[in-house]
């Protein structure tokens, strides 16, 4: 006589079968990037903080058959020193990094939700810090100066400024297949908030990456009708990596960023809607280490508060710094496939004397990163 299968055992076997079927069709990954270190800038305190970005990500895909897959990605950003939501993101959503769901197949990849625009998602390669270091990266501080992908994110009509520098909400994102090294990336914001937005964010980038060469050209317009144009490239010669980029921003004089609520270029002694910047970078691998260096220039300079150390220029009577340059150097040492330590120094110099009597400041850092 065969023994009877008890209900709880049957339920367990059924659950195991369902899990096995699900695993055969789909996958879920948990990943993250942890960064913590000590840094200091001229005039500021020594801080233990996230120098790069720390994040926790859930992502996955489901095989739908015939080469089609469903995808999702949820990414949260936080400060390692306190374990809290990233301090600069208190007015931004919990899934600040990304919250998308979509489809992927022979046609490319289509996602909807919140994510980086192509300008920011696809242009990190020329920078040896990958646009990811608040002390040394020219891309962090200078790329597309005063341009925000969504300047009024989270704000209702008549509300104050919040701002998303690199992401859009309620977006449609398309990544094309690669044809002979060429591929395109396009994003459009669906919503236009009454009384807040002057237009919809829309932009794209064309990339070429074949062998050691990467080239990029792109353009984007934000919800305040500010525009940015970008050109960049990177080339790898054995252990030597080279990169360069140029960006040109055209601020809308009727938009929020140009006015007194944000940068107040309208109140500067030499008001301008043109904001241009460029950088040249290099890296060289030596064993388990990499030497990194970069030069960048903001050709107009930044207004009060919107600069490397938040300088103001009331006493100078200009309201802005004048042209500024940034020099950086650093060393990255790889301890393992997932763990690295690094140290950097940067020097930023501008034209007009700020209200603390300075025309130059220095930033230094030392930190550790771990990915999983």
């Amino acid at each position: 006589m065969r023994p009877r299968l008890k209900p709880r055992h049957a339920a367990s076997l059924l659950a195991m079968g369902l899990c096995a079927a699900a695993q055969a069709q789909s996958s879920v990954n948990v990943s993250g990037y942890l960064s913590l270190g000590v840094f200091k800038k001229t005039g500021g305190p020594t801080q233990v903080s996230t120098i790069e970005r720390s994040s926790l990500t859930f992502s996955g895909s489901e095989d739908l058959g015939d080469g089609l897959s469903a995808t999702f990605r949820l990414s949260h950003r936080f400060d390692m020193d306190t374990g809290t939501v990233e301090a600069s993101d208190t007015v931004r959503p919990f899934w600040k990094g990304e919250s998308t769901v979509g489809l992927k197949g022979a046609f490319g990849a289509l996602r909807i939700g919140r994510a980086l625009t192509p300008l920011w998602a696809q242009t990190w390669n020329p920078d040896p810090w990958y646009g990811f270091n608040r002390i040394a990266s020219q891309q962090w501080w200078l790329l597309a100066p005063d341009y925000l992908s969504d300047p009024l994110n989270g704000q209702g009509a008549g509300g104050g400024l919040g701002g998303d520098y690199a992401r859009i909400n309620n977006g449609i994102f398309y990544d094309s297949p690669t044809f002979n090294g060429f591929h395109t990336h396009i994003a459009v914001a669906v919503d236009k908030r009454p009384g807040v937005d002057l237009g919809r964010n829309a932009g794209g980038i064309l990339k070429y990456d074949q062998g050691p060469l990467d080239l990029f050209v792109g353009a984007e317009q934000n919800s305040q009708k500010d525009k940015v144009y970008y050109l960049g490239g990177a080339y790898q010669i054995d252990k030597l990596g080279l990169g360069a980029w140029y960006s040109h921003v055209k601020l809308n004089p009727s938009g929020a960023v140009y006015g007194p609520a944000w940068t107040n270029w309208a109140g500067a002694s030499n008001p301008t809607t043109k904001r241009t910047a460029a950088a040249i970078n290099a890296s060289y691998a030596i064993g388990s280490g990499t030497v990194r260096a970069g030069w960048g220039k903001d050709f107009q300079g930044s207004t009060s508060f919107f600069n490397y150390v938040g300088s103001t220029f009331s006493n100078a009577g200009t309201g802005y710094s004048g042209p500024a340059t940034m020099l950086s150097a650093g060393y990255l040492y790889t301890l393992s496939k997932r763990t690295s330590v690094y140290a950097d120094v940067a020097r930023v110099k501008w034209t007009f004397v700020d209200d603390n009597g300075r025309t130059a400041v220095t930033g230094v850092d030392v930190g550790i990163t771990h990915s999983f």
Side-chain angles (χ1 to χ4, degrees):
M1 181 176 177
R2 296 170 61 185
R4 291 185 60 190
L5 192 62
K6 294 183 179 181
R8 66 176 181 272
H9 293 160
S12 296
L13 289 173
L14 178 61
M16 290 171 63
L18 290 173
C19 288
Q23 289 174 359
Q25 297 176 23
S26 62
S27 65
V28 176
N29 300 309
V30 180
S31 60
Y33 187 83
L34 309 178
S35 169
L36 192 62
V38 180
F39 74 90
K40 178 177 174 58
K41 294 180 180 179
T42 300
T46 301
Q47 300 182 61
V48 174
S49 186
T50 297
I51 298 170
E52 301 179 351
R53 298 299 195 188
S54 295
S55 63
L56 176 64
T57 301
F58 300 88
S59 61
S61 64
E62 180 186 12
D63 186 355
L64 302 176
D66 297 324
L68 186 65
S69 299
T71 65
F72 78 91
R73 186 176 181 87
L74 299 170
S75 182
H76 171 63
R77 294 252 291 265
F78 59 95
D79 283 331
M80 281 287 294
D81 54 323
T82 61
T84 57
V85 174
E86 208 170 61
S88 62
D89 295 336
T90 53
V91 299
R92 300 185 180 118
F94 181 83
W95 299 111
K96 184 265 174 79
E98 183 170 334
S99 56
T100 60
V101 64
L103 295 171
K104 183 178 181 180
F107 61 88
L110 186 67
R111 297 168 293 146
I112 56 175
R114 170 185 170 83
L116 287 166
T117 68
L119 173 70
W120 303 100
Q122 301 294 329
T123 57
W124 51 267
N125 206 21
D127 183 3
W129 290 273
Y130 305 113
F132 216 51
N133 182 296
R134 70 179 67 196
I135 295 297
S137 171
Q138 279 79 29
Q139 183 158 328
W140 180 302
W141 286 105
L142 301 179
L143 178 65
D146 295 334
Y147 180 84
L148 294 85
S149 291
D150 189 357
L152 300 178
N153 177 33
Q155 308 304 305
L161 295 178
D164 241 320
Y165 279 85
R167 292 167 176 82
I168 56 173
N169 295 333
N170 308 302
I172 299 174
F173 306 86
Y174 173 70
D175 305 303
S176 79
T178 299
F179 301 99
N180 296 321
F182 289 95
H183 46 107
T184 61
H185 306 269
I186 300 168
V188 178
V190 175
D191 286 5
K192 181 181 177 183
R193 296 159 292 195
V196 175
D197 296 335
L198 304 180
R200 291 182 175 86
N201 180 291
I205 189 165
L206 173 65
K207 289 189 68 175
Y208 174 85
D209 48 34
Q210 195 86 339
L213 179 65
D214 290 353
L215 296 173
F216 329 83
V217 59
E220 182 177 308
Q221 174 182 283
N222 66 18
S223 60
Q224 293 297 296
K225 293 189 174 181
D226 302 319
K227 298 178 175 66
V228 59
Y229 307 94
Y230 172 88
L231 178 67
Y235 192 74
Q236 189 72 34
I237 310 170
D238 193 21
K239 298 179 180 182
L240 175 65
L242 300 173
W245 56 260
Y246 171 81
S247 66
H248 183 119
V249 173
K250 179 72 172 177
L251 296 175
N252 177 10
S254 300
V257 175
Y258 182 78
W262 198 267
T263 63
N264 195 26
W265 271 108
S269 62
N270 184 24
T272 180
T273 60
K274 177 183 177 182
R275 298 290 284 112
T276 54
I280 300 173
N281 301 104
S283 64
Y284 191 82
I286 305 173
S288 297
T290 302
V291 178
R292 306 186 282 193
W295 168 92
K297 186 173 180 94
D298 180 339
F299 292 98
Q300 292 76 39
S302 52
T303 51
S304 295
F305 304 110
F306 292 87
N307 50 70
Y308 192 73
V309 291
S311 289
T312 58
F313 298 91
S314 298
N315 293 338
T318 61
Y320 74 108
S321 68
T325 57
M326 180 178 183
L327 289 172
S328 304
Y331 182 71
L332 173 74
Y333 187 79
T334 303
L335 297 172
S336 71
K337 188 176 181 180
R338 299 179 180 273
T339 305
S340 299
V341 292
Y342 60 90
D344 305 290
V345 60
R347 181 74 169 170
V348 180
K349 183 174 176 58
W350 57 84
T351 306
F352 304 125
V353 178
D354 73 4
D355 293 341
N356 290 305
R358 305 173 301 198
T359 57
V361 292
T362 300
V364 295
D365 72 38
V366 58
I368 182 172
T369 67
H370 178 78
S371 61
F372 60 90

